[in-house]
Amino acid sequence: MIQVRVGAFFLTCLLFLGLFAACAPTAVDHEQVSESDKIVIRFSHVVGEDTPKGQAARLFAKLMKERTNGKVEVQVFSNGSLYKDSEELNALAEGHVQMIAPALSKLSNLVPELGAFDLPYLYSDLDGYHRVFDGQIGQAIARKLEKHNMLLLAAWDSGFKQFTNNLRPIREPQDMAGLTMRIMPSAVLGQQFNLLQVRPIEMNFNDVYLALEQGKIQGQENTISNIYSKRFYKVQNYMTLSDHGYLGYLVVIDRTFWNRLPAGVQSVILETMREVTNWERTQAVKLEQAKLQEIYNCRCIQIERLTETQKAKWKQFYQPLYADMQQRLGQDFFRELNLTP
């Protein structure tokens, strides 16, 4: 008898609470969008989150969610967690991801003109590269990428590349002879290191740390933010601040996917990407300064800095590479780069 009364009491309470909840005002989350209405953009890249590209990708995702009230969800996959750098282009072409931001070198097989930006000491500051990519050459590159079903959204910086290695300080070109160095896939980079009598090894970015640690390669070239985020400086003895090459990324979206997007969403993507690009370029400089100071502070690697006179000698050393590239791409293109009279 007691058990029946207790059960009835709890049943009455539950009914009362249910009626109360039904009558109470309900909180509405205006950012909630049904799964059928949501647009998902999978954005894959291979560098760390604490790099200019990594931070910009996250900012882009955040702003897109805010500005579309949750209708557009940009899912960012960093550190090659989804695809390695050698796999990204295929993943984009097959529709497994919708956005990638590969290094210029990775696209040079599709757009040969991009190989020119692997030339060492092409411009002395980042503004030189910005002028090119934001101008007529950038528009021509965009048109060529469209033939490969990619829409160019932006050009982002990582910064200038530096050398690290385990054998000796690098001050002159001859100091490189005999080293085994990791490079990105690029005919121009291969020629560059062959001139230095280096054995270049093409390797996925996320495999480099282990290869350095195990002694499979003796050195590599990269920007400060990548050297820091991947902790290359902890498995290398020497770093030369050479500023010898530019590392930039082209942010592209699958063109078929883009054409299916509503015009309003396309407009928000373009405007947001312009803002994020301006922010990213400024952040790249700030991060380089901050991370370089942290590497100095660790006192775990010997750091050399090339003087302007030394850099001029290096650029002169690379003139055969410039002559070969000019022959391949044409004098008119080099004139557009402001490299010939």
Side-chain angles (χ1 to χ4, degrees):
M1 187 70 176
I2 293 175
Q3 290 178 341
V4 172
R5 288 178 177 174
V6 170
F9 172 76
F10 276 109
L11 180 59
T12 302
C13 288
L14 287 172
L15 288 171
F16 173 76
L17 289 172
L19 288 171
F20 177 79
C23 296
T26 304
V28 177
D29 186 350
H30 295 285
E31 289 195 359
Q32 290 299 317
V33 177
S34 68
E35 290 301 317
S36 60
D37 291 333
K38 185 178 291 187
I39 297 171
V40 176
I41 301 175
R42 288 155 68 89
F43 186 173
S44 174
H45 69 84
V46 301
V47 301
E49 291 189 351
D50 193 21
T51 61
K53 179 163 65 172
Q55 292 185 2
R58 293 205 313 277
L59 177 60
F60 176 71
K62 175 178 178 291
L63 293 177
M64 285 303 302
K65 180 179 180 180
E66 292 174 355
R67 294 175 179 184
T68 63
N69 292 322
K71 182 178 178 65
V72 177
E73 179 183 331
V74 180
Q75 299 175 351
V76 179
F77 300 88
S78 60
N79 274 313
S81 59
L82 203 58
Y83 294 101
K84 295 182 178 180
D85 39 359
S86 60
E87 302 168 336
E88 284 185 320
L89 283 171
N90 284 338
L92 185 74
E94 293 170 3
H96 301 311
V97 296
Q98 289 71 50
M99 284 181 65
I100 58 175
L104 307 181
S105 302
K106 305 294 175 54
L107 294 166
S108 59
N109 284 338
L110 303 179
V111 183
E113 287 82 358
L114 287 172
F117 302 99
D118 279 332
L119 287 169
Y121 298 109
L122 184 64
Y123 298 114
S124 60
D125 56 40
L126 294 175
D127 287 342
Y129 295 91
H130 298 164
R131 285 192 297 271
V132 170
F133 285 112
D134 296 343
Q136 292 184 354
I137 290 180
Q139 294 170 14
I141 290 170
R143 289 192 293 272
K144 293 198 172 188
L145 286 171
E146 287 182 8
K147 295 178 181 178
H148 299 280
N149 207 38
M150 286 179 272
L151 181 72
L152 177 59
L153 296 177
W156 287 355
D157 292 333
S158 182
F160 285 111
K161 294 186 288 188
Q162 324 298 340
F163 293 121
T164 68
N165 84 100
N166 275 334
L167 292 189
R168 64 182 77 96
I170 302 299
R171 303 183 184 95
E172 306 289 341
Q174 56 266 29
D175 295 331
M176 299 282 288
L179 292 175
T180 301
M181 303 277 288
R182 179 264 178 176
I183 66 167
M184 288 187 290
S186 161
V188 179
L189 292 178
Q191 286 180 272
Q192 174 185 333
F193 282 90
N194 285 331
L195 275 175
L196 294 166
Q197 299 181 45
V198 165
R199 181 181 174 225
I201 303 291
E202 294 182 359
M203 183 180 297
N204 282 317
F205 178 62
N206 287 291
D207 297 331
V208 176
Y209 180 91
L210 188 60
L212 290 170
E213 187 179 46
Q214 294 178 345
K216 293 179 180 179
I217 54 176
Q218 295 162 331
Q220 60 85 51
E221 59 162 8
N222 228 304
T223 58
I224 292 296
S225 60
N226 285 340
I227 290 170
Y228 180 84
S229 66
K230 290 299 184 183
R231 302 298 189 261
F232 294 157
Y233 65 96
K234 292 194 172 182
V235 288
Q236 297 275 261
N237 296 329
Y238 305 98
M239 179 165 71
T240 298
L241 301 178
S242 52
D243 296 332
H244 65 276
Y246 171 72
L247 178 55
Y249 309 108
L250 295 186
V251 185
V252 296
I253 190 167
D254 177 73
R255 198 165 173 230
T256 301
F257 174 80
W258 174 265
N259 289 338
R260 293 199 298 262
L261 293 175
V265 171
Q266 291 178 346
S267 296
V268 176
I269 289 174
L270 293 175
E271 180 58 32
T272 302
M273 187 58 72
R274 276 193 290 269
E275 292 179 29
V276 171
T277 296
N278 290 333
W279 179 89
E280 191 274 347
R281 290 174 175 180
T282 301
Q283 185 68 0
V285 175
K286 291 180 180 178
L287 267 182
E288 178 178 280
Q289 295 168 348
K291 299 311 179 186
L292 178 58
Q293 188 58 54
E294 291 192 40
I295 295 174
Y296 269 117
N297 292 344
C298 87
R299 300 181 182 275
C300 51
I301 186 170
Q302 181 176 321
I303 301 176
E304 305 276 338
R305 184 183 290 275
L306 297 186
T307 65
E308 292 305 313
T309 300
Q310 287 174 314
K311 289 179 182 179
K313 289 181 180 179
W314 279 79
K315 185 169 183 177
Q316 183 61 37
F317 174 85
Y318 287 123
Q319 286 311 298
L321 184 56
Y322 271 76
D324 179 72
M325 202 66 183
Q326 182 171 333
Q327 186 175 11
R328 286 161 55 188
L329 297 178
Q331 190 169 354
D332 289 343
F333 178 72
F334 267 64
R335 189 174 293 112
E336 288 184 77
L337 294 175
N338 293 319
L339 298 179
T340 58

